Amino acid sequence: MSMLLIRNAQVHAPEPLGRLDLLIGAGRILAMAERLEPGLPVTVLDAQDAIACPGYVDSLVHLTGGGGEGGFATRTAALDPADAIAAGVTTLIGALGTDDVTRSHADLLAAARALAVHGLSGYVLTGSYRVPARTLTGSVRDDLVLVPDIIGVGEVAIADHRGSHPSVQELARLAADARVGAMLAGKRGTVLVHVGDGEEALDLLHAVVDRHPLPAAQFHPTHLNRNARLLQRARGWIERGGSVDLTASTTPALISAGDIPAARALAGLLAEGLPVSRISISSDAQGSLPHFDAQGRLLQLEAAPVSSLHAAVRSAVLEHGVPLRMALATVTETPAAIWGLERKGRLRPGGDADLLLLDPHSLELRATIAGGIAHAVRE
Ligand code: ZN
């Protein structure tokens, strides 16, 4: 594979670094400077002042499909890797959901590893909605220690009628297994927590951190923009050291039922002075989005699109006035740090060559470069 030289890019690392050239080889960013003359045969791509930013790190993707809450016919399809490339998502963290019976971690692991042929990076969470957790090897700790691609646990459901209603003790033990397994393997071992619309909201997480010597940062609760009441709880969780995740995929019906679009929720949290280093956005891709008729009967389930992540970034910047570097951080630097992915989420020499070229005005995606492989270049 020859080296790729990207010229004249407005680099957002995600913070703006000005107009630079980037040299890419062997799947890494080799150099970034105002003018690079490598003196070797390279493929040159003139970015023509497009924005270059890190490829997106999506904290929740149902790689092998999700859903099934309305019977077998409502299971959603697996993710098509072409959709991730077209949406600028270069790092995908795969999880099971409600269904850990017909869906398995072995299947998830295979789907994550299959992404590599496109240059995409796939990781897997062990466990599912349920506690005690379903796992690959029989224990959360063994999964984290022995399987390189397994980087955390989730999504574990709380405050949801589809969850298993774990006790404080049960959730603490799960988090402790994740923490110790991750320590032994040099990982972060974050526990992604699906928060439903139950009144108790984040009470269980606060109780775990109150009663046990576990840091709030061990947990990353998601779907916090599912209603205003839950979103208001984000501040209290962040103030005690935690982080929160917002879900980009939604529907007009969900919005009229109280769902707050991720871009608007992000703008609100930032306006309150909450740090962008504790706020991520994920797509929940291939999860199920229900459609109801006027009488509230379930008509069908649609799969959440992975493209919702980039749509949320554009909406945050273009419609809600969020600075670009902050909108980008929620889908790059922040999730990479939360999951302990050191070569992801930033454009820097030595980092993985996962980057996007965006139109500087419309922020439309022109190209996705994943693991050094250039895709979907448009004029
Ligand atoms: Zn969920």
Side-chain angles (χ1 to χ4, degrees):
M1 193 195 297
S2 83
M3 290 195 285
L4 177 65
L5 178 62
I6 300 174
R7 287 217 187 276
N8 307 316
Q10 297 291 341
V11 173
H12 290 249
E15 72 280 9
L17 297 182
R19 188 198 229 207
L20 301 176
D21 292 351
L22 298 98
L23 182 65
I24 287 166
R28 301 283 188 98
I29 298 171
L30 301 175
M32 285 166 49
E34 277 182 24
R35 184 73 185 177
L36 288 170
E37 298 293 351
L40 289 164
V42 293
T43 303
V44 177
L45 174 63
D46 187 350
Q48 298 175 335
D49 280 324
I51 290 167
C53 70
Y56 296 160
V57 177
D58 196 337
S59 297
L60 178 57
V61 180
H62 297 285
L63 286 175
T64 53
E69 289 99 329
F72 297 119
T74 64
R75 295 163 90 250
T76 58
L79 180 86
D80 181 344
D83 291 343
I85 292 163
V89 176
T90 55
T91 297
L92 299 92
I93 298 170
L96 301 180
T98 318
D99 181 3
D100 59 9
V101 179
T102 76
R103 311 282 191 184
S104 74
H105 291 102
D107 194 22
L108 198 56
L109 197 60
R113 288 180 180 172
L115 296 170
V117 296
H118 307 282
L120 300 169
S121 299
Y123 299 93
V124 168
L125 303 184
T126 187
S128 63
Y129 269 26
R130 208 164 20 141
V131 181
R134 271 283 169 106
T135 67
L136 184 69
T137 65
S139 99
V140 164
R141 202 193 305 203
D142 290 13
D143 279 8
L144 276 156
V145 174
L146 300 175
V147 186
D149 336 42
I150 295 183
I151 58 168
V153 183
E155 49 173 328
V156 179
I158 64 168
D160 194 295
H161 64 101
R162 294 162 295 178
S164 59
H165 312 287
S167 66
V168 173
Q169 175 68 42
E170 285 174 315
L171 192 58
R173 179 160 299 159
L174 176 68
D177 281 346
R179 183 171 180 77
V180 177
M183 287 167 75
L184 294 173
K187 298 176 182 173
R188 185 97 194 315
T190 303
V191 180
L192 184 70
V193 178
H194 161 109
V195 187
D197 56 13
E199 283 285 325
E200 62 271 44
L202 302 179
D203 289 351
L204 186 62
L205 293 185
H206 283 284
V208 169
V209 177
D210 284 341
R211 295 182 213 168
H212 297 278
L214 287 162
Q218 194 75 41
F219 300 96
H220 192 43
T222 184
H223 312 317
L224 288 213
N225 54 324
R226 71 162 69 245
N227 60 54
R229 184 174 45 81
L230 185 55
L231 190 60
Q232 279 174 358
R233 302 289 301 274
R235 170 182 284 280
W237 183 246
I238 288 173
E239 280 176 351
R240 73 182 305 178
S243 56
V244 300
D245 186 64
L246 306 172
T247 301
S249 55
T250 188
T251 64
L254 288 172
I255 290 168
S256 56
D259 205 36
I260 300 156
R264 177 143 56 91
L266 172 64
L269 295 177
L270 294 175
E272 282 186 56
L274 294 176
V276 76
S277 61
R278 308 284 192 79
I279 306 165
S280 68
I281 305 179
S282 65
S283 70
D284 200 6
Q286 307 309 111
S288 54
L289 292 173
H291 284 266
F292 299 100
D293 67 11
Q295 283 74 46
R297 286 178 300 222
L298 181 67
L299 293 176
Q300 63 174 63
L301 291 173
E302 180 193 324
V306 70
S307 59
S308 60
L309 204 58
H310 182 54
V313 170
R314 288 184 72 201
S315 171
V317 176
L318 301 174
E319 296 169 39
H320 296 277
V322 173
L324 179 61
R325 63 167 298 278
M326 290 198 176
L328 289 174
T330 65
V331 292
T332 60
E333 187 172 28
T334 297
I338 285 167
W339 295 107
L341 301 174
E342 288 171 7
R343 295 206 308 270
K344 304 294 188 189
R346 288 191 55 76
L347 295 186
R348 61 173 179 85
D352 285 345
D354 299 333
L355 60 147
L356 312 180
L357 296 181
L358 308 179
D359 181 277
H361 307 292
S362 68
L363 303 182
E364 278 174 27
L365 184 62
R366 287 187 188 166
T368 298
I369 295 151
I373 300 173
H375 298 276
V377 180
R378 288 197 290 141
E379 286 304 309

